[in-house]
Amino acid sequence: MSTPTEQLAAAGVSIWLDDLSRERITTGNLSALISDRTVSGVTTNPTIFAGALSKGEAYAEQVATLAAAGADVDTAIFEITTDDVQAASDIFRPVYDATNGVDGRVSIEVSPDLAHDTAATVAQAKELWAKVDRPNALIKIPATKAGLPAITEVIGAGISVNVTLIFSLERYAAVIDAYLSGLEKARDAGIDISGLQSVASFFVSRVDTEVDKRLKAIGTDEATALLSQAGLANARLAYELFEREFGSPRAQALLEAGANLQRPLWASTGVKDPALPDTLYVTELVAAGTVNTMPEKTLEATFDHGVIEGDTITGNIEAAHAFFGQLAAVGVDFADVTQTLEDEGVEKFIVSWHELQETVETALKAAR
């Protein structure tokens, strides 16, 4: 009998863990998740690093060394986080080799303070890539308007990218265009594009949280009948867009030249509403060639009782289109929803980044 996580992987979904800490690395927990839970990659963000550094003694020795060397806060964060990503990348290297570079990926994000600064995002992406110095790293860049040209520039420089904070189909289409432009730039510069990988992180549960808040405020029977469906419908239409855009002559020409698909990645897949099934954003978003990055709680729930029934996306695309017609009819402005979520997403990561800076500042002072 195979486990639900093995069944999910067999259905073509790569399972990535949305968490990283030095403790996971040093205790063997990360290695165990690869063998026991079919985990094939890791994503990080400022919130995850802030949490890891605020609890646990795993970083004490490195903090003391950095303090003695007179490192400032941002230097210390850079050293600590890139060390974790290097170590995790080494643990995942066999997965990377076995999948020809598709999986075994570990993501590290540019500072969210730079989300609206194209040039600074490009500069830090290059700096992170050089410092981590592992072929299976992914540099995370947010899909803000300033992030789009940065994605093209960074891919064009031969750096693999995880595009994060995507909420709307319109922005997702722009992300795909930025990726294809980057591939064309890299190809024209003589870079081997077959080694470039990218994922597009489409957020799911946060969409339901925001839409459901608005539906409950409307309060009609028609509105409440639409609760907890927007996140899945939006992701399913994103998959339709993915298939359409990568079937275009422009994309096909690049794929024939050795380029890789930019896979859709389902992010924010932990259920925020306790009334919903805890594996909802996993079992209902199954399709070949996708990634699902899960908090550990969602990963364990999926392993324990997830019911994997094959592709749950392509057969539901028509219904997803119908859903958005109904959503508009009850008065929810979905374009406003996605813009609100992007603004909040950037702001939340900035707050977490500043918390991380405060945590490290306190630790450096204590060590001195």
Side-chain angles (χ1 to χ4, degrees):
M1 289 290 287
S2 63
T3 66
T5 51
E6 287 171 338
Q7 291 163 18
L8 189 61
V13 180
S14 295
I15 300 167
W16 292 4
L17 178 71
D18 193 27
D19 194 47
L20 185 63
S21 67
R22 184 133 328 158
E23 193 176 351
R24 282 195 190 279
I25 292 162
T26 56
T27 60
N29 169 266
L30 205 53
S31 297
L33 290 174
I34 296 170
S35 56
D36 302 343
R37 298 291 186 267
T38 332
V39 170
S40 60
V42 160
T43 51
T44 67
N45 61 45
T47 307
I48 285 167
F49 279 126
L53 272 137
S54 66
K55 53 177 188 281
E57 294 298 303
Y59 297 96
E61 188 180 336
Q62 186 174 16
V63 168
T65 303
L66 288 162
D72 64 18
V73 173
D74 288 338
T75 302
I77 291 172
F78 187 78
E79 294 296 326
I80 290 164
T81 57
T82 54
D83 276 9
D84 277 1
V85 170
Q86 277 182 329
S89 296
D90 291 343
I91 291 168
F92 277 97
R93 184 60 192 254
V95 178
Y96 169 86
D97 291 336
T99 60
N100 294 317
V102 174
D103 281 319
R105 295 278 171 174
V106 183
S107 296
I108 184 167
E109 189 153 351
V110 295
S111 163
D113 278 335
L114 309 178
H116 303 298
D117 185 333
T118 303
T121 294
V122 171
Q124 193 176 82
K126 290 178 176 177
E127 193 182 5
L128 286 166
W129 181 257
K131 171 67 174 168
V132 173
D133 194 25
R134 299 293 187 273
N136 50 330
L138 286 173
I139 306 303
K140 281 179 92 172
I141 296 174
T144 54
K145 284 177 181 169
L148 294 169
I151 292 157
T152 296
E153 192 67 29
V154 172
I155 291 282
I159 296 169
S160 293
V161 171
N162 174 345
V163 183
T164 188
L165 287 177
I166 308 171
F167 295 98
S168 74
L169 295 177
E170 293 74 19
R171 187 57 56 83
Y172 181 34
V175 165
I176 294 172
D177 177 66
Y179 173 60
L180 296 176
S181 297
L183 288 174
E184 288 160 349
K185 196 177 174 90
R187 178 198 61 197
D188 295 347
I191 292 167
D192 177 12
I193 59 174
S194 67
L196 282 165
Q197 284 283 347
S198 183
V199 292
S201 297
F202 213 85
F203 280 53
V204 186
S205 67
R206 291 189 196 181
V207 172
D208 273 343
T209 302
E210 182 63 27
V211 169
D212 286 3
K213 183 172 77 178
R214 298 182 187 210
L215 289 170
K216 286 171 183 172
I218 293 165
T220 61
D221 289 347
E222 291 82 4
T224 53
L226 301 177
L227 288 168
S228 307
Q229 297 171 57
L232 292 176
N234 198 39
R236 286 164 174 165
L237 294 187
Y239 188 79
E240 180 189 40
L241 181 66
F242 156 72
E243 288 200 305
R244 184 170 67 242
E245 292 299 316
F246 282 97
S248 72
R250 179 191 184 195
Q252 286 298 310
L254 286 162
L255 295 171
E256 285 163 17
N260 297 293
L261 293 169
Q262 183 188 50
R263 291 181 294 167
L265 177 150
W266 313 128
S268 179
T269 56
V271 172
K272 306 279 195 290
D273 181 349
L276 297 174
D278 54 3
T279 61
L280 180 71
Y281 302 121
V282 178
T283 61
E284 294 302 317
L285 289 176
V286 177
T290 60
V291 182
N292 194 307
T293 186
M294 310 178 198
E296 188 171 30
K297 190 177 174 187
T298 304
L299 173 67
E300 289 303 326
T302 301
F303 177 80
D304 180 64
H305 53 263
V307 179
I308 311 302
E309 298 179 315
D311 185 334
T312 49
I313 292 181
T314 51
N316 288 306
I317 286 171
E318 203 174 312
H321 281 287
F323 169 83
F324 281 104
Q326 295 167 315
L327 194 66
V330 299
V332 173
D333 179 351
F334 195 67
D336 183 67
V337 167
T338 56
Q339 189 58 55
T340 298
L341 288 168
E342 182 187 308
D343 295 343
E344 283 181 357
V346 171
E347 185 54 39
K348 281 177 183 172
F349 280 162
I350 288 172
V351 169
S352 293
W353 186 257
H354 294 168
E355 284 171 4
L356 177 58
Q357 287 174 320
E358 285 168 22
T359 301
V360 172
E361 175 79 63
T362 303
L364 287 170
K365 280 179 180 168
R368 287 186 185 119

